[in-house]
Amino acid sequence: MNESLPPIYFYIPKSQWPAGKLPEIPEKYWQWMSSWGSRYGRGKYDWTLQTYLYLKADGLQCQLIDFMPDEGIVLSHRDFLSDNLQPLPKLLVVCIKVDREPHPYAQLQVVQNDRDPLFSRSPFLWQCHPLKFWLQPGLIPRDSGPSGRNL
C-alpha cells in the first residue's frame, strides 16, 4: 500500500512576495538576501523561503505559493499568517512561530528552541516543535587554534 503525501506548500502572501527573481537553490539564498541591503524584516523570508529551498533541494515535493490553498499542508512564518485565517477541514497550517505569539488557529507551531514558553502551555491547545536556525551561508569558520582568530 503506497500512501502519498498531501500537497506541501510554503506560503508567502502576494502582498509580501519579494520583487525580482527568487533564488532556486539554497546556496544562492544568502547572495539574494544580501542584495536587499537591509538586515531587518528578513527573518520571515529566512524561515519560509530558505526552508523551502533546503527541503526542495533534498527532494521533498513542495511548492512556494502566494495564495492560501483549500487543502494540503501549509508552512509559513507567523508574520505571513493573518490572525483571522481559519484552516478549512483539509488544510493543515504549520506556523513558523519563532519569537512571535502563536497563531490562534494553526494546528502546529514551530519554535526556535525547546525553552519557548509555548511548551509550558496546554498541549491540547497547540502542538509545538523546536527547529534550530539555518546556518548562515558564506560565513568563514573560526580558527580552531588557541587564539580562535581568523588569519
Side-chain angles (χ1 to χ4, degrees):
M1 181 183 210
N2 185 6
E3 295 183 39
S4 64
L5 289 173
I8 299 172
Y9 304 106
F10 287 82
Y11 169 70
I12 298 174
K14 186 173 264 186
S15 63
Q16 297 187 56
W17 195 265
K21 185 175 178 179
L22 299 179
E24 295 180 13
I25 58 173
E27 293 78 14
K28 299 285 185 183
Y29 179 80
W30 185 249
Q31 179 183 9
W32 172 82
M33 183 52 78
S34 296
S35 70
W36 281 31
S38 170
R39 50 180 286 231
Y40 299 105
R42 301 184 324 196
K44 56 191 173 187
Y45 298 100
D46 292 344
W47 281 99
T48 307
L49 178 56
Q50 192 174 20
T51 302
Y52 160 76
L53 291 170
Y54 275 115
L55 294 177
K56 184 176 178 184
D58 279 349
L60 180 69
Q61 295 294 315
C62 57
Q63 287 182 273
L64 182 65
I65 59 172
D66 63 0
F67 64 94
M68 190 57 64
D70 293 335
E71 61 182 73
I73 300 171
V74 172
L75 296 97
S76 189
H77 191 281
R78 177 62 177 98
D79 290 354
F80 293 141
L81 299 172
S82 68
D83 287 343
N84 62 0
L85 169 70
Q86 295 184 30
L88 297 172
K90 293 184 177 185
L91 184 64
L92 173 70
V93 173
V94 179
C95 173
I96 305 170
K97 173 191 165 303
V98 292
D99 58 355
R100 308 289 195 267
E101 286 298 314
H103 187 275
Y105 299 105
Q107 294 96 329
L108 295 172
Q109 310 281 333
V110 172
V111 298
Q112 289 179 345
N113 65 62
D114 57 4
R115 292 195 173 138
D116 189 285
L118 194 58
F119 279 104
S120 65
R121 296 185 187 178
S122 170
F124 300 109
L125 294 176
W126 289 290
Q127 290 290 319
C128 59
H129 302 279
L131 180 69
K132 294 184 181 196
F133 292 108
W134 291 114
L135 293 177
Q136 183 175 331
L139 289 180
I140 300 170
R142 288 186 181 185
D143 181 357
S144 60
S147 69
R149 296 173 48 187
N150 289 328
L151 299 175

